[in-house]
Amino acid sequence: MGDMRGTGDLSRKGRPSAGASERDAAVVIAESAWVLVLFWVGCGVVVGGLAPLLADWLVTLPWAPLDGPAELLSSVPEPWRTIGAVGVGALLGLVVGLIAVHESLAVSVSRGGVALTVRDASQEFGCDEVGLVVRDGKQLVLLGPDGMEIAREDCHLAWRRLADAFAGRGYQWSDVDPYREEFRRWVPGTPGLPEGADALLRARAAAQQKDGNSEDVRELRRELLRLRVVVRDEKKRQYWRMPQGSQGSWGSPSS
């Protein structure tokens, strides 16, 4: 559901520079806000329309969960019962759709740099800071020229469009993390970590139990990166690695 819009050179805040070619222009890849909102509103309408039927069925059972609300809904005369249920469903769908838009990733790519925007917060990286762009499952990862991770974000955009956008502007793209085999599963007290990293991983594991995508989890990842500890998650388990010196030889986008 991703869309692509040329926005000019990133270094000029989205304004096309004179005579800039299509390959040099920045491109923004983002979820279509209207598609997301309409999808969830449609889901809400469907669910709202089915709610009266479900309520009628529940009240016929000798025991059922939510029997009180089901009886209340069944007691409302038609057509107001269906109209009300559909309206409430549409409203809930709208709320979920707006949250989905707010949580979704937008990527801006130009030869001058890359910007990742989530929840109205943007991370910007110059072209010389990005050595490799990686698809790691459902996450978009940016690695520096030395193999150090500089960004990792959940991504539901069209991967082929992302790959074409990055490769077309001189960045190296990989569908597989070249350092995946270096990750080791973290358990409390794991040896080899720098001072303070184990405590951060403990705190991050606790934060993940509450909300795996909370701001606390994201902030603790950034703190670990400052210690040069890279973290990836799999089935609520934390895996870590530490780049050893200068790794990789991808270079930065050609001018």
Side-chain angles (χ1 to χ4, degrees), residues 151-173:
R152 177 183 290 266
E153 297 291 349
D154 291 336
C155 180
H156 302 285
L157 302 172
W159 290 106
R160 180 43 48 196
R161 288 186 173 184
L162 283 169
D164 290 345
F166 279 103
R169 284 152 186 82
Y171 297 87
Q172 295 294 316
W173 173 275

Side-chain angles (χ1 to χ4, degrees), residues 12 31 42-43 55 59 72 108-109 117 128 143 145 151-152 172-173 224 238 245 252-253:
R12 297 290 297 274
E31 295 283 7
C43 290
V59 297
L72 179 61
S108 177
V109 188
T117 303
D128 57 339
L143 299 176
R152 177 183 290 266
Q172 295 294 316
W173 173 275
L224 286 160
Q238 297 183 111
S252 55

Side-chain angles (χ1 to χ4, degrees), residues 5-24:
R5 305 185 297 275
T7 59
D9 192 299
L10 184 66
S11 63
R12 297 290 297 274
K13 297 183 180 179
R15 298 181 181 178
S17 57
S21 68
E22 184 177 348
R23 284 176 58 86
D24 291 335

Side-chain angles (χ1 to χ4, degrees), residues 42-222:
C43 290
V45 169
V46 171
V47 171
L50 294 175
L53 299 178
L54 178 61
D56 289 342
W57 175 69
L58 288 175
V59 297
T60 65
L61 300 177
W63 178 91
L66 303 176
D67 56 340
E71 290 179 2
L72 179 61
L73 181 58
S74 295
S75 66
V76 178
E78 292 288 5
W80 304 113
R81 180 176 62 163
T82 299
I83 292 174
V86 169
V88 171
L91 180 60
L92 291 175
L94 176 62
V95 172
V96 173
L98 292 174
I99 292 174
V101 171
H102 182 65
E103 296 281 329
S104 64
L105 173 67
V107 181
S108 177
V109 188
S110 76
R111 286 186 173 271
V114 178
L116 307 179
T117 303
V118 182
R119 302 175 182 172
D120 300 324
S122 183
Q123 305 173 74
E124 297 187 8
F125 307 94
C127 60
D128 57 339
E129 297 178 79
V130 183
L132 183 67
V133 186
V134 177
R135 174 185 179 177
D136 186 9
K138 295 182 179 180
Q139 293 185 319
L140 179 68
V141 181
L142 304 186
L143 299 176
D146 63 350
M148 184 64 192
E149 184 178 299
I150 57 177
R152 177 183 290 266
E153 297 291 349
D154 291 336
C155 180
H156 302 285
L157 302 172
W159 290 106
R160 180 43 48 196
R161 288 186 173 184
L162 283 169
D164 290 345
F166 279 103
R169 284 152 186 82
Y171 297 87
Q172 295 294 316
W173 173 275
S174 175
D175 288 318
V176 179
D177 185 350
Y179 298 106
R180 188 179 181 88
E181 296 304 317
E182 295 184 14
F183 282 94
R184 300 164 52 190
R185 183 176 176 181
W186 173 78
V187 294
T190 296
L193 287 165
E195 183 178 356
D198 191 71
L200 290 171
L201 286 163
R202 288 173 187 264
R204 190 170 182 273
Q208 281 184 311
Q209 295 302 315
K210 299 177 182 178
D211 181 359
N213 198 32
S214 69
E215 187 55 39
D216 279 346
V217 173
R218 296 165 63 85
E219 182 179 350
L220 288 164
R221 178 191 292 278
R222 291 192 291 268

